[in-house]
Amino acid sequence: MYQPFIVLGSVGYLKRLKSYGYKTFSDFWDESYDDIKNPRKRYKKVRELILSLNEMSIEEMNELYQKTKEICIFNRQLHQSMYINSIPKILERIENEW
């Protein structure tokens, strides 16, 4: 969707995304929430991050988006290539199961 993201998921989710080649936004905000094992504390850290971003002016938000745009484009292209490359594998698997 060409948008920066914050993930409220299981511990280490961002690390898993990075292992697939995705880029995250640690240069722009604190992603240490990804290492917090306690789900409530992880939620609280993500909530604080979202609230701090929400305090930005529209100009600041636009500037942030401009700075993160290349990462968003990269992630979208990576996602598309992963999807396209997986179709032959899925079809092969279906054929082998028949």
Side-chain angles (χ1 to χ4, degrees), residues 7-19 31-43 45-46:
V7 176
L8 181 58
S10 58
V11 66
Y13 193 91
L14 288 177
K15 283 183 184 59
R16 201 168 311 121
L17 279 179
K18 289 177 184 180
S19 76
E31 291 183 335
S32 64
Y33 63 85
D34 191 51
D35 299 322
I36 300 173
K37 292 181 182 179
N38 182 298
R40 289 179 190 227
K41 290 180 180 178
R42 189 170 53 255
Y43 167 79
K45 186 81 168 180
V46 169

Side-chain angles (χ1 to χ4, degrees), residues 5 14 18 24-27 29-35 49:
F5 55 82
L14 288 177
K18 289 177 184 180
T24 64
F25 302 90
S26 58
D27 289 343
W29 54 73
D30 180 11
E31 291 183 335
S32 64
Y33 63 85
D34 191 51
D35 299 322
L49 171 58

